mmCIF file with all atom_site columns, all heavy atoms in Angstrom:
data_model
loop_
_atom_site.group_PDB
_atom_site.id
_atom_site.type_symbol
_atom_site.label_atom_id
_atom_site.label_alt_id
_atom_site.label_comp_id
_atom_site.label_asym_id
_atom_site.label_entity_id
_atom_site.label_seq_id
_atom_site.pdbx_PDB_ins_code
_atom_site.Cartn_x
_atom_site.Cartn_y
_atom_site.Cartn_z
_atom_site.occupancy
_atom_site.B_iso_or_equiv
_atom_site.pdbx_formal_charge
_atom_site.auth_seq_id
_atom_site.auth_comp_id
_atom_site.auth_asym_id
_atom_site.auth_atom_id
_atom_site.pdbx_PDB_model_num
ATOM 1  N N   . GLY E 1 17 ? -5.296  -22.199 -29.226 1.00 98.00 ? 716 GLY E N   1
ATOM 2  C CA  . GLY E 1 17 ? -6.789  -22.876 -29.391 1.00 98.00 ? 716 GLY E CA  1
ATOM 3  C C   . GLY E 1 17 ? -6.633  -24.364 -29.574 1.00 98.00 ? 716 GLY E C   1
ATOM 4  O O   . GLY E 1 17 ? -7.441  -25.039 -28.999 1.00 98.00 ? 716 GLY E O   1
ATOM 5  N N   . SER E 1 18 ? -5.671  -24.737 -30.389 1.00 97.00 ? 717 SER E N   1
ATOM 6  C CA  . SER E 1 18 ? -5.615  -26.251 -30.639 1.00 97.00 ? 717 SER E CA  1
ATOM 7  C C   . SER E 1 18 ? -5.323  -26.979 -29.442 1.00 97.00 ? 717 SER E C   1
ATOM 8  O O   . SER E 1 18 ? -5.810  -28.150 -29.096 1.00 97.00 ? 717 SER E O   1
ATOM 9  C CB  . SER E 1 18 ? -4.434  -26.540 -31.576 1.00 97.00 ? 717 SER E CB  1
ATOM 10 O OG  . SER E 1 18 ? -4.604  -25.792 -32.841 1.00 97.00 ? 717 SER E OG  1
ATOM 11 N N   . GLU E 1 19 ? -4.522  -26.409 -28.433 1.00 98.00 ? 718 GLU E N   1
ATOM 12 C CA  . GLU E 1 19 ? -4.210  -26.999 -27.209 1.00 98.00 ? 718 GLU E CA  1
ATOM 13 C C   . GLU E 1 19 ? -5.520  -27.042 -26.388 1.00 98.00 ? 718 GLU E C   1
ATOM 14 O O   . GLU E 1 19 ? -5.732  -28.098 -25.652 1.00 98.00 ? 718 GLU E O   1
ATOM 15 C CB  . GLU E 1 19 ? -3.116  -26.269 -26.385 1.00 98.00 ? 718 GLU E CB  1
ATOM 16 C CG  . GLU E 1 19 ? -1.850  -26.301 -27.274 1.00 98.00 ? 718 GLU E CG  1
ATOM 17 C CD  . GLU E 1 19 ? -1.172  -27.643 -27.309 1.00 98.00 ? 718 GLU E CD  1
ATOM 18 O OE1 . GLU E 1 19 ? -1.292  -28.487 -26.381 1.00 98.00 ? 718 GLU E OE1 1
ATOM 19 O OE2 . GLU E 1 19 ? -0.597  -28.004 -28.439 1.00 98.00 ? 718 GLU E OE2 1
ATOM 20 N N   . LEU E 1 20 ? -6.248  -26.020 -26.269 1.00 98.00 ? 719 LEU E N   1
ATOM 21 C CA  . LEU E 1 20 ? -7.354  -25.852 -25.501 1.00 98.00 ? 719 LEU E CA  1
ATOM 22 C C   . LEU E 1 20 ? -8.490  -26.827 -25.953 1.00 98.00 ? 719 LEU E C   1
ATOM 23 O O   . LEU E 1 20 ? -9.126  -27.302 -25.206 1.00 98.00 ? 719 LEU E O   1
ATOM 24 C CB  . LEU E 1 20 ? -7.922  -24.417 -25.438 1.00 98.00 ? 719 LEU E CB  1
ATOM 25 C CG  . LEU E 1 20 ? -7.004  -23.424 -24.832 1.00 98.00 ? 719 LEU E CG  1
ATOM 26 C CD1 . LEU E 1 20 ? -7.528  -22.031 -25.109 1.00 98.00 ? 719 LEU E CD1 1
ATOM 27 C CD2 . LEU E 1 20 ? -6.757  -23.608 -23.364 1.00 98.00 ? 719 LEU E CD2 1
ATOM 28 N N   . ARG E 1 21 ? -8.553  -26.915 -27.247 1.00 97.00 ? 720 ARG E N   1
ATOM 29 C CA  . ARG E 1 21 ? -9.520  -27.906 -27.830 1.00 97.00 ? 720 ARG E CA  1
ATOM 30 C C   . ARG E 1 21 ? -9.377  -29.224 -27.223 1.00 97.00 ? 720 ARG E C   1
ATOM 31 O O   . ARG E 1 21 ? -10.462 -29.898 -26.889 1.00 97.00 ? 720 ARG E O   1
ATOM 32 C CB  . ARG E 1 21 ? -9.308  -27.859 -29.287 1.00 97.00 ? 720 ARG E CB  1
ATOM 33 C CG  . ARG E 1 21 ? -10.224 -28.811 -30.136 1.00 97.00 ? 720 ARG E CG  1
ATOM 34 C CD  . ARG E 1 21 ? -9.835  -28.771 -31.633 1.00 97.00 ? 720 ARG E CD  1
ATOM 35 N NE  . ARG E 1 21 ? -10.480 -29.816 -32.353 1.00 97.00 ? 720 ARG E NE  1
ATOM 36 C CZ  . ARG E 1 21 ? -10.320 -30.163 -33.681 1.00 97.00 ? 720 ARG E CZ  1
ATOM 37 N NH1 . ARG E 1 21 ? -9.406  -29.444 -34.350 1.00 97.00 ? 720 ARG E NH1 1
ATOM 38 N NH2 . ARG E 1 21 ? -10.953 -31.069 -34.202 1.00 97.00 ? 720 ARG E NH2 1
ATOM 39 N N   . LYS E 1 22 ? -8.247  -29.676 -27.103 1.00 97.00 ? 721 LYS E N   1
ATOM 40 C CA  . LYS E 1 22 ? -7.820  -30.974 -26.379 1.00 97.00 ? 721 LYS E CA  1
ATOM 41 C C   . LYS E 1 22 ? -8.147  -30.843 -24.905 1.00 97.00 ? 721 LYS E C   1
ATOM 42 O O   . LYS E 1 22 ? -8.722  -31.696 -24.249 1.00 97.00 ? 721 LYS E O   1
ATOM 43 C CB  . LYS E 1 22 ? -6.450  -31.566 -26.700 1.00 97.00 ? 721 LYS E CB  1
ATOM 44 C CG  . LYS E 1 22 ? -6.295  -31.785 -28.111 1.00 97.00 ? 721 LYS E CG  1
ATOM 45 C CD  . LYS E 1 22 ? -4.718  -32.195 -28.421 1.00 97.00 ? 721 LYS E CD  1
ATOM 46 C CE  . LYS E 1 22 ? -3.908  -30.981 -28.412 1.00 97.00 ? 721 LYS E CE  1
ATOM 47 N NZ  . LYS E 1 22 ? -2.557  -31.238 -28.680 1.00 97.00 ? 721 LYS E NZ  1
ATOM 48 N N   . GLY E 1 23 ? -7.432  -29.767 -24.399 1.00 98.00 ? 722 GLY E N   1
ATOM 49 C CA  . GLY E 1 23 ? -7.386  -29.846 -22.844 1.00 98.00 ? 722 GLY E CA  1
ATOM 50 C C   . GLY E 1 23 ? -8.726  -29.546 -22.219 1.00 98.00 ? 722 GLY E C   1
ATOM 51 O O   . GLY E 1 23 ? -8.896  -30.055 -21.054 1.00 98.00 ? 722 GLY E O   1
ATOM 52 N N   . LEU E 1 24 ? -9.656  -28.845 -22.844 1.00 98.00 ? 723 LEU E N   1
ATOM 53 C CA  . LEU E 1 24 ? -10.785 -28.528 -22.192 1.00 98.00 ? 723 LEU E CA  1
ATOM 54 C C   . LEU E 1 24 ? -11.925 -29.498 -22.333 1.00 98.00 ? 723 LEU E C   1
ATOM 55 O O   . LEU E 1 24 ? -12.981 -29.433 -21.814 1.00 98.00 ? 723 LEU E O   1
ATOM 56 C CB  . LEU E 1 24 ? -11.272 -27.174 -22.648 1.00 98.00 ? 723 LEU E CB  1
ATOM 57 C CG  . LEU E 1 24 ? -10.340 -25.969 -22.465 1.00 98.00 ? 723 LEU E CG  1
ATOM 58 C CD1 . LEU E 1 24 ? -10.938 -24.650 -22.957 1.00 98.00 ? 723 LEU E CD1 1
ATOM 59 C CD2 . LEU E 1 24 ? -9.860  -25.861 -20.993 1.00 98.00 ? 723 LEU E CD2 1
ATOM 60 N N   . ALA E 1 25 ? -11.678 -30.515 -23.093 1.00 97.00 ? 724 ALA E N   1
ATOM 61 C CA  . ALA E 1 25 ? -12.834 -31.493 -23.403 1.00 97.00 ? 724 ALA E CA  1
ATOM 62 C C   . ALA E 1 25 ? -13.370 -31.997 -22.121 1.00 97.00 ? 724 ALA E C   1
ATOM 63 O O   . ALA E 1 25 ? -14.678 -32.204 -22.248 1.00 97.00 ? 724 ALA E O   1
ATOM 64 C CB  . ALA E 1 25 ? -12.056 -32.577 -24.282 1.00 97.00 ? 724 ALA E CB  1
ATOM 65 N N   . PRO E 1 26 ? -12.706 -32.259 -21.036 1.00 95.00 ? 725 PRO E N   1
ATOM 66 C CA  . PRO E 1 26 ? -13.381 -32.912 -19.903 1.00 95.00 ? 725 PRO E CA  1
ATOM 67 C C   . PRO E 1 26 ? -14.386 -32.002 -19.259 1.00 95.00 ? 725 PRO E C   1
ATOM 68 O O   . PRO E 1 26 ? -15.219 -32.526 -18.470 1.00 95.00 ? 725 PRO E O   1
ATOM 69 C CB  . PRO E 1 26 ? -12.352 -33.244 -19.073 1.00 95.00 ? 725 PRO E CB  1
ATOM 70 C CG  . PRO E 1 26 ? -11.042 -33.190 -19.791 1.00 95.00 ? 725 PRO E CG  1
ATOM 71 C CD  . PRO E 1 26 ? -11.295 -32.309 -20.925 1.00 95.00 ? 725 PRO E CD  1
ATOM 72 N N   . LEU E 1 27 ? -14.359 -30.693 -19.703 1.00 96.00 ? 726 LEU E N   1
ATOM 73 C CA  . LEU E 1 27 ? -15.164 -29.733 -18.870 1.00 96.00 ? 726 LEU E CA  1
ATOM 74 C C   . LEU E 1 27 ? -16.574 -29.467 -19.434 1.00 96.00 ? 726 LEU E C   1
ATOM 75 O O   . LEU E 1 27 ? -17.431 -28.797 -18.833 1.00 96.00 ? 726 LEU E O   1
ATOM 76 C CB  . LEU E 1 27 ? -14.484 -28.370 -18.822 1.00 96.00 ? 726 LEU E CB  1
ATOM 77 C CG  . LEU E 1 27 ? -13.054 -28.329 -18.036 1.00 96.00 ? 726 LEU E CG  1
ATOM 78 C CD1 . LEU E 1 27 ? -12.516 -27.020 -18.074 1.00 96.00 ? 726 LEU E CD1 1
ATOM 79 C CD2 . LEU E 1 27 ? -13.329 -28.901 -16.634 1.00 96.00 ? 726 LEU E CD2 1
ATOM 80 N N   . ALA E 1 28 ? -16.832 -30.009 -20.625 1.00 97.00 ? 727 ALA E N   1
ATOM 81 C CA  . ALA E 1 28 ? -18.146 -29.599 -21.214 1.00 97.00 ? 727 ALA E CA  1
ATOM 82 C C   . ALA E 1 28 ? -18.630 -30.883 -21.997 1.00 97.00 ? 727 ALA E C   1
ATOM 83 O O   . ALA E 1 28 ? -17.909 -31.761 -22.415 1.00 97.00 ? 727 ALA E O   1
ATOM 84 C CB  . ALA E 1 28 ? -18.089 -28.579 -22.169 1.00 97.00 ? 727 ALA E CB  1
#
Side-chain angles (χ1 to χ4, degrees):
Chain E
S717 305
E718 299 293 325
L719 294 170
R720 182 182 167 185
K721 292 176 285 185
L723 304 183
L726 298 182

